[in-house]
Amino acid sequence: MSYRLCVIPGDGIGQEVVPVAVGALQLLLPDLQVEHAEAGWDCFQRHGQAVPEATLECMRACGAGLFGAVSSPLQPVSGYRSAILTLRQRLGLNVNLRPVRSWPGVSPRDDVDLLILRENSEGLYSGREQMLGSGHAMAERHITASASEALAQRAIDVMGLRAVERITLVHKANVLPLTCGLFRDRCRAVLAAADLENKVDERLVDVAALQLVAEPQRFDLLLTTNLFGDILSDLACHWSGGLGLAPSLNWGQGIALAEPVHGSAPDIVGSGRANPLAAVLSAALLLRFHWSRPELADQLEAAVSRVLAHHAGEDLGTATLQRLEQSLLQQLTHPQQD
Ligand code: NAD
Ligand code: IPM
Ligand code: MN
């Protein structure tokens, strides 16, 4: 089988970390066909479009992509919407998979291994916000049975690829009984139809946040809506070692876009301090969940683990990218050496 990858580095440190991840994938898949595409704020300023049609076509043709990060202005700019939101929406990437696990040497705990499955297409990300008067703004939160069911179905797919003991549905149905209630009920129905009812549990999002801080080792697979998943995945990634180690996979039917959870990090761009391992681990998610090459994903994650063990206790604050890249390439080519 030949693999094609649409590479979209985007803005800021996206341009720095993505080449490291592509290099690692090329070592594991020597026949990988790599294509390059543009997206983001810089692209918008040059072409007037944050996601050109050519980028969407490249993604569709390849069926797989690796995205870095993009910048977004804090004030609305006419015609601009974060490129990653457009990519998720236009490519039907309706689920976002965000694993959080302990790594040797760098993680504050050694017992965390959880997976957040975030609905990726609706909720408060509907893009429908308006002013109702000069002092009154409104955002629409859309929850559909079909997107909720698709998320739960993905949980079932994940269970074929990874052992899962407990599924926690995270919502706020006490305050939002219609939207969160629909989400919870449709997820439960799909999981019950697959005879998984005995594994399903639920939490209100506020208490889930507290428990993710206090007892993260008790979580296994979490299913939640778009904004809750956005917030909880940043919170939970603290346990793996922070944003520099937080990968994700935007996952649709027959198409996937890997993406580190972090943004364009304007505060460190150009300093050499960006950690490329979140992008590398995102590439491992493509291997495991989209390309069905778990043995290569294991190989890549084992190399990352050895790199982190090797650099444990070092100040990774300076020239992180180059040091970690060299160390990773060495671990991938000569796995036994330090
Ligand atoms: P950010 O993730 O860019 O940075 C938050 C902090 O984490 C910064 O101090 C940064 O230096 C650090 N950091 C992030 N990634 C790192 C890495 N790989 N190695 C070392 N340190 C890392 O979030 P922000 O500062 O809130 O946002 C900056 C810009 O990125 C904004 O324009 C925002 O809209 C955008 N953003 C984009 C995405 C995306 O494209 N998926 C995600 C989040 C934020
Ligand atoms: C993420 C990011 C995006 C989101 C932003 C950049 C639109 O924070 O991927 O977590 O909110 O989904
Ligand atoms: Mn986020």
Side-chain angles (χ1 to χ4, degrees), residues 139-154:
E140 290 180 32
R141 181 174 199 250
H142 290 257
I143 298 287
T144 62
S146 58
S148 308
E149 288 165 4
L151 185 75
Q153 189 53 52
R154 276 301 189 190

Side-chain angles (χ1 to χ4, degrees), residues 42-282:
D42 186 53
C43 173
F44 178 77
Q45 286 177 304
R46 281 183 293 108
H47 305 302
Q49 276 182 309
V51 182
E53 277 304 315
T55 298
L56 295 167
E57 278 161 27
C58 178
M59 268 302 299
R60 290 190 188 108
C62 293
L66 180 61
F67 177 87
V70 293
S71 301
S72 291
L74 285 179
Q75 299 305 323
V77 171
S78 168
Y80 184 80
R81 186 167 194 236
S82 174
I84 188 63
L85 297 180
T86 303
L87 286 159
R88 289 172 185 166
Q89 188 182 41
R90 295 284 306 275
L91 298 170
L93 300 164
N94 57 343
V95 170
N96 196 308
L97 181 146
R98 299 188 160 186
V100 176
R101 56 161 280 192
S102 301
W103 294 100
V106 288
S107 301
R109 301 179 63 117
D110 62 6
D111 56 357
V112 179
D113 187 10
L114 61 87
L115 194 54
I116 296 177
L117 271 192
R118 163 185 176 190
E119 202 294 318
N120 212 26
S121 66
E122 56 180 29
L124 272 168
Y125 283 66
S126 65
R128 296 172 72 163
E129 248 198 333
Q130 56 176 300
M131 296 304 298
L132 296 178
S134 62
H136 186 175
M138 181 185 78
E140 290 180 32
R141 181 174 199 250
H142 290 257
I143 298 287
T144 62
S146 58
S148 308
E149 288 165 4
L151 185 75
Q153 189 53 52
R154 276 301 189 190
I156 295 170
D157 298 342
V158 164
M159 291 172 85
L161 300 165
R162 175 193 199 275
V164 172
E165 294 306 319
R166 199 155 71 94
I167 304 168
T168 310
L169 304 178
V170 179
H171 56 75
K172 189 74 183 175
N174 54 340
V175 176
L176 299 164
L178 297 185
T179 49
C180 272
L182 179 65
F183 170 80
R184 188 232 2 242
D185 294 347
R186 296 322 302 161
C187 286
R188 273 200 178 272
V190 168
L191 296 167
D195 222 8
L196 292 167
E197 225 163 6
N198 59 339
K199 294 201 173 198
V200 182
D201 198 2
E202 54 186 273
R203 288 284 179 287
L204 295 175
V205 64
D206 44 1
V207 79
L210 170 64
Q211 291 178 348
L212 276 169
V213 170
E215 301 179 300
Q217 80 285 3
R218 295 180 60 147
F219 288 95
D220 190 355
L221 179 60
L222 294 95
L223 260 59
T224 192
T225 51
N226 208 341
L227 184 62
F228 295 161
D230 177 49
I231 297 166
L232 293 181
S233 57
D234 266 37
L235 182 155
C237 84
H238 170 74
W239 293 123
S240 39
L243 281 173
L245 284 171
S248 84
L249 188 69
N250 297 284
W251 206 6
Q253 292 302 324
I255 185 163
L257 181 61
E259 171 211 2
V261 173
H262 65 72
S264 57
D267 54 334
I268 58 167
V269 69
S271 70
R273 282 157 56 211
N275 186 336
L277 296 178
V280 170
L281 292 168
S282 302

